[in-house]
Amino acid sequence: QGHDYPTPDGTAMRDYIHVMDIAEAHVAALRYAQRQPGLWILNLGTGNGHCVLDVIRAFERASGRRIAYELGPRRPKDVPAYWADPSLAHATLGWESQRSLDAMCHDSWHWRLRWSALAL
């Protein structure tokens, strides 16, 4: 929600990441933990922010459909932009995200289509 943030299009910016990138990061963490037992706190993300309208446009490209949306007021205490700094995950695990926002939306859309068809 919100469309008056100091961002390129006025909508909030967040770090959207593909579920497979997260899964691969967890596998890398498990492999690392076998060699180096202990506790580590690492940020997982792309390191890039995307505005909410960027995500809508990416889903429109993935689906080939227009997506209806309504811009409302800001949520209380919401910040304009934030994203991960995955540099420690890269240095520690040798991991970094590989997939783009378009790939994430494409795969999400097609996954949903497959599961919708199975439910019929």
Side-chain angles (χ1 to χ4, degrees), residues 20-120:
M20 290 303 299
D21 282 328
I22 291 292
E24 290 164 0
H26 283 84
V27 169
L30 289 169
R31 288 185 178 137
Y32 184 80
Q34 288 177 329
R35 298 185 315 271
Q36 298 289 334
L39 174 67
W40 295 269
I41 298 172
L42 306 171
N43 282 314
L44 301 178
T46 66
N48 298 304
H50 293 284
C51 291
V52 172
L53 291 179
D54 291 334
V55 178
I56 292 171
R57 287 185 203 107
F59 268 111
E60 286 178 338
R61 287 189 296 275
S63 67
R65 301 175 183 190
R66 296 236 346 121
I67 296 174
Y69 63 88
E70 185 175 317
L71 298 172
R74 288 188 189 193
R75 296 178 299 195
K77 300 182 183 179
D78 205 2
V79 297
Y82 63 88
W83 49 88
D85 176 358
S87 58
L88 186 57
H90 179 66
T92 304
L93 306 176
W95 172 87
E96 59 186 349
S97 66
Q98 299 297 312
R99 295 162 183 90
S100 67
L101 178 65
D102 278 316
M104 179 190 72
C105 293
H106 174 272
D107 292 347
S108 177
W109 175 252
H110 288 276
W111 176 87
R112 179 69 177 111
L113 287 177
R114 277 194 304 275
W115 283 103
S116 294
L118 291 175
L120 295 177

